[in-house]
CSV table of all heavy atoms in Angstrom, one decimal:
chain,number,residue,atom,x,y,z
A,144,LEU,N,131.7,98.2,220.8
A,144,LEU,CA,131.7,99.7,220.6
A,144,LEU,C,133.1,100.2,220.8
A,144,LEU,O,133.6,101.1,220.0
A,144,LEU,CB,130.8,100.3,221.6
A,144,LEU,CG,129.3,100.2,221.3
A,144,LEU,CD1,128.5,100.9,222.3
A,144,LEU,CD2,128.9,100.7,219.9
A,145,GLU,N,133.9,99.6,221.7
A,145,GLU,CA,135.3,100.1,221.9
A,145,GLU,C,136.1,99.7,220.7
A,145,GLU,O,137.0,100.5,220.2
A,145,GLU,CB,135.9,99.4,223.1
A,145,GLU,CG,135.3,100.0,224.4
A,145,GLU,CD,135.7,99.3,225.7
A,145,GLU,OE1,136.4,98.2,225.5
A,145,GLU,OE2,135.4,99.7,226.8
A,146,THR,N,135.9,98.5,220.1
A,146,THR,CA,136.6,98.1,218.9
A,146,THR,C,136.3,99.0,217.7
A,146,THR,O,137.2,99.4,217.0
A,146,THR,CB,136.2,96.7,218.5
A,146,THR,OG1,136.5,95.8,219.6
A,146,THR,CG2,137.0,96.2,217.3
A,147,ILE,N,135.0,99.4,217.5
A,147,ILE,CA,134.6,100.3,216.5
A,147,ILE,C,135.2,101.7,216.7
A,147,ILE,O,135.8,102.2,215.7
A,147,ILE,CB,133.0,100.4,216.4
A,147,ILE,CG1,132.4,99.1,215.9
A,147,ILE,CG2,132.6,101.6,215.5
A,147,ILE,CD1,130.9,99.1,216.1
A,148,GLN,N,135.3,102.1,217.9
A,148,GLN,CA,135.9,103.4,218.2
A,148,GLN,C,137.4,103.4,217.8
A,148,GLN,O,137.9,104.3,217.2
A,148,GLN,CB,135.7,103.8,219.7
A,148,GLN,CG,136.4,105.1,220.1
A,148,GLN,CD,136.4,105.3,221.6
A,148,GLN,OE1,136.0,104.4,222.3
A,148,GLN,NE2,136.8,106.4,222.0
A,149,THR,N,138.1,102.3,218.2
A,149,THR,CA,139.5,102.2,217.9
A,149,THR,C,139.7,102.2,216.4
A,149,THR,O,140.6,102.9,215.9
A,149,THR,CB,140.0,100.9,218.5
A,149,THR,OG1,139.8,101.0,220.0
A,149,THR,CG2,141.5,100.8,218.3
A,150,ASP,N,138.9,101.5,215.7
A,150,ASP,CA,139.0,101.4,214.2
A,150,ASP,C,138.8,102.7,213.5
A,150,ASP,O,139.5,103.1,212.6
A,150,ASP,CB,138.1,100.3,213.7
A,150,ASP,CG,138.5,98.9,214.0
A,150,ASP,OD1,139.7,98.7,214.5
A,150,ASP,OD2,137.7,98.0,213.9
A,151,VAL,N,137.7,103.4,214.0
A,151,VAL,CA,137.4,104.7,213.4
A,151,VAL,C,138.5,105.7,213.7
A,151,VAL,O,138.9,106.4,212.7
A,151,VAL,CB,136.0,105.2,213.9
A,151,VAL,CG1,135.8,106.7,213.5
A,151,VAL,CG2,134.9,104.3,213.4
A,152,ILE,N,139.0,105.8,214.9
A,152,ILE,CA,140.1,106.7,215.2
A,152,ILE,C,141.3,106.3,214.4
A,152,ILE,O,142.0,107.2,213.9
A,152,ILE,CB,140.4,106.7,216.7
A,152,ILE,CG1,139.2,107.3,217.5
A,152,ILE,CG2,141.7,107.4,217.0
A,152,ILE,CD1,139.3,107.2,219.0
A,153,SER,N,141.6,105.1,214.2
A,153,SER,CA,142.7,104.6,213.4
A,153,SER,C,142.6,105.1,211.9
A,153,SER,O,143.5,105.6,211.3
A,153,SER,CB,142.9,103.1,213.4
A,153,SER,OG,143.9,102.7,212.6
A,154,MET,N,141.4,105.0,211.4
A,154,MET,CA,141.2,105.4,210.0
A,154,MET,C,141.3,106.9,209.9
A,154,MET,O,141.9,107.4,208.9
A,154,MET,CB,139.8,105.0,209.5
A,154,MET,CG,139.7,103.5,209.2
A,154,MET,SD,138.1,103.1,208.4
A,154,MET,CE,137.2,102.7,209.9
A,155,ILE,N,140.8,107.6,210.9
A,155,ILE,CA,140.9,109.1,210.8
A,155,ILE,C,142.3,109.6,210.9
A,155,ILE,O,142.7,110.4,210.1
A,155,ILE,CB,140.0,109.7,212.0
A,155,ILE,CG1,138.5,109.6,211.7
A,155,ILE,CG2,140.4,111.2,212.1
A,155,ILE,CD1,137.6,110.0,212.8
A,156,THR,N,143.1,109.0,211.8
A,156,THR,CA,144.5,109.4,211.9
A,156,THR,C,145.3,109.0,210.7
A,156,THR,O,146.3,109.6,210.4
A,156,THR,CB,145.2,108.8,213.2
A,156,THR,OG1,145.0,107.3,213.1
A,156,THR,CG2,144.5,109.3,214.4
A,157,THR,N,144.9,108.0,209.9
A,157,THR,CA,145.5,107.6,208.7
A,157,THR,C,145.1,108.6,207.6
A,157,THR,O,146.0,109.0,206.8
A,157,THR,CB,145.1,106.2,208.3
A,157,THR,OG1,145.5,105.3,209.3
A,157,THR,CG2,145.8,105.8,207.0
A,158,ALA,N,143.9,109.0,207.5
A,158,ALA,CA,143.4,109.8,206.4
A,158,ALA,C,143.6,111.3,206.6
A,158,ALA,O,143.7,112.1,205.6
A,158,ALA,CB,141.9,109.5,206.1
A,159,LEU,N,143.7,111.7,207.8
A,159,LEU,CA,143.7,113.2,208.1
A,159,LEU,C,145.0,113.9,207.5
A,159,LEU,O,144.8,114.9,206.9
A,159,LEU,CB,143.7,113.4,209.6
A,159,LEU,CG,143.5,114.9,210.1
A,159,LEU,CD1,142.2,115.4,209.5
A,159,LEU,CD2,143.5,115.0,211.6
A,160,PRO,N,146.2,113.4,207.7
A,160,PRO,CA,147.3,114.0,207.1
A,160,PRO,C,147.2,114.2,205.5
A,160,PRO,O,147.6,115.2,205.0
A,160,PRO,CB,148.5,113.2,207.4
A,160,PRO,CG,148.1,112.4,208.6
A,160,PRO,CD,146.6,112.2,208.4
A,161,ILE,N,146.7,113.1,204.9
A,161,ILE,CA,146.5,113.2,203.4
A,161,ILE,C,145.5,114.2,203.1
A,161,ILE,O,145.7,115.0,202.1
A,161,ILE,CB,146.1,111.8,202.9
A,161,ILE,CG1,147.3,110.8,203.2
A,161,ILE,CG2,145.8,111.8,201.4
A,161,ILE,CD1,146.9,109.3,203.0
A,162,ALA,N,144.4,114.2,203.8
A,162,ALA,CA,143.3,115.2,203.5
A,162,ALA,C,143.8,116.6,203.7
A,162,ALA,O,143.5,117.5,202.9
A,162,ALA,CB,142.1,114.9,204.3
A,163,LEU,N,144.5,116.8,204.8
A,163,LEU,CA,145.1,118.2,205.0
A,163,LEU,C,146.0,118.6,204.0
A,163,LEU,O,146.0,119.8,203.6
A,163,LEU,CB,145.7,118.2,206.4
A,163,LEU,CG,144.8,118.2,207.6
A,163,LEU,CD1,145.6,118.2,208.9
A,163,LEU,CD2,143.8,119.4,207.6
A,164,ALA,N,146.8,117.7,203.5
A,164,ALA,CA,147.8,118.1,202.4
A,164,ALA,C,147.0,118.4,201.1
A,164,ALA,O,147.4,119.4,200.5
A,164,ALA,CB,148.7,116.9,202.1
A,165,ILE,N,146.0,117.7,200.8
A,165,ILE,CA,145.2,118.0,199.6
A,165,ILE,C,144.5,119.3,199.7
A,165,ILE,O,144.5,120.1,198.8
A,165,ILE,CB,144.2,116.8,199.3
A,165,ILE,CG1,145.0,115.6,198.9
A,165,ILE,CG2,143.2,117.2,198.2
A,165,ILE,CD1,144.1,114.3,198.8
A,166,LEU,N,143.9,119.5,200.9
A,166,LEU,CA,143.3,120.8,201.2
A,166,LEU,C,144.2,122.0,201.1
A,166,LEU,O,143.9,123.0,200.5
A,166,LEU,CB,142.6,120.8,202.5
A,166,LEU,CG,141.8,122.0,203.0
A,166,LEU,CD1,140.6,122.3,202.0
A,166,LEU,CD2,141.4,121.9,204.4
A,167,GLY,N,145.4,121.8,201.6
A,167,GLY,CA,146.4,122.8,201.6
A,167,GLY,C,146.8,123.2,200.2
A,167,GLY,O,147.1,124.3,199.8
A,168,ILE,N,146.9,122.2,199.3
A,168,ILE,CA,147.3,122.4,197.9
A,168,ILE,C,146.2,123.2,197.2
A,168,ILE,O,146.5,124.2,196.5
A,168,ILE,CB,147.5,121.0,197.2
A,168,ILE,CG1,148.8,120.4,197.7
A,168,ILE,CG2,147.6,121.2,195.7
A,168,ILE,CD1,149.0,118.9,197.2
A,169,PHE,N,144.9,122.9,197.5
A,169,PHE,CA,143.8,123.6,196.8
A,169,PHE,C,143.8,125.1,197.3
A,169,PHE,O,143.6,126.0,196.6
A,169,PHE,CB,142.5,122.9,197.1
A,169,PHE,CG,142.3,121.8,196.2
A,169,PHE,CD1,142.1,120.5,196.7
A,169,PHE,CD2,142.2,121.9,194.8
A,169,PHE,CE1,141.9,119.4,195.9
A,169,PHE,CE2,142.0,120.8,194.0
A,169,PHE,CZ,141.9,119.6,194.5
A,170,ILE,N,144.0,125.3,198.6
A,170,ILE,CA,144.1,126.6,199.2
A,170,ILE,C,145.2,127.4,198.6
A,170,ILE,O,145.1,128.6,198.2
A,170,ILE,CB,144.1,126.6,200.7
A,170,ILE,CG1,142.8,126.1,201.2
A,170,ILE,CG2,144.4,128.0,201.3
A,170,ILE,CD1,142.8,125.9,202.8
A,171,ALA,N,146.4,126.8,198.5
A,171,ALA,CA,147.5,127.5,197.9
A,171,ALA,C,147.3,127.8,196.4
A,171,ALA,O,147.6,129.0,196.0
A,171,ALA,CB,148.8,126.6,198.0
A,172,ILE,N,146.7,127.0,195.7
A,172,ILE,CA,146.4,127.3,194.3
A,172,ILE,C,145.4,128.4,194.2
A,172,ILE,O,145.6,129.4,193.4
A,172,ILE,CB,145.8,126.0,193.6
A,172,ILE,CG1,147.0,125.0,193.4
A,172,ILE,CG2,145.2,126.4,192.2
A,172,ILE,CD1,146.5,123.6,192.9
């Protein structure tokens, strides 16, 4: 469970900046 938690947090921290940038572009448009 600790390994799964670490992997999920790692994936989220990788994807979050990209998702926020895409969301920001759509809001700006």
Side-chain angles (χ1 to χ4, degrees):
L144 290 179
E145 289 172 356
T146 303
I147 291 170
Q148 177 187 8
T149 304
D150 290 345
V151 168
I152 290 174
S153 174
M154 285 188 273
I155 289 172
T156 57
T157 301
L159 189 63
I161 298 167
L163 288 176
I165 293 170
L166 181 65
I168 290 169
F169 282 118
I170 290 173
I172 290 170

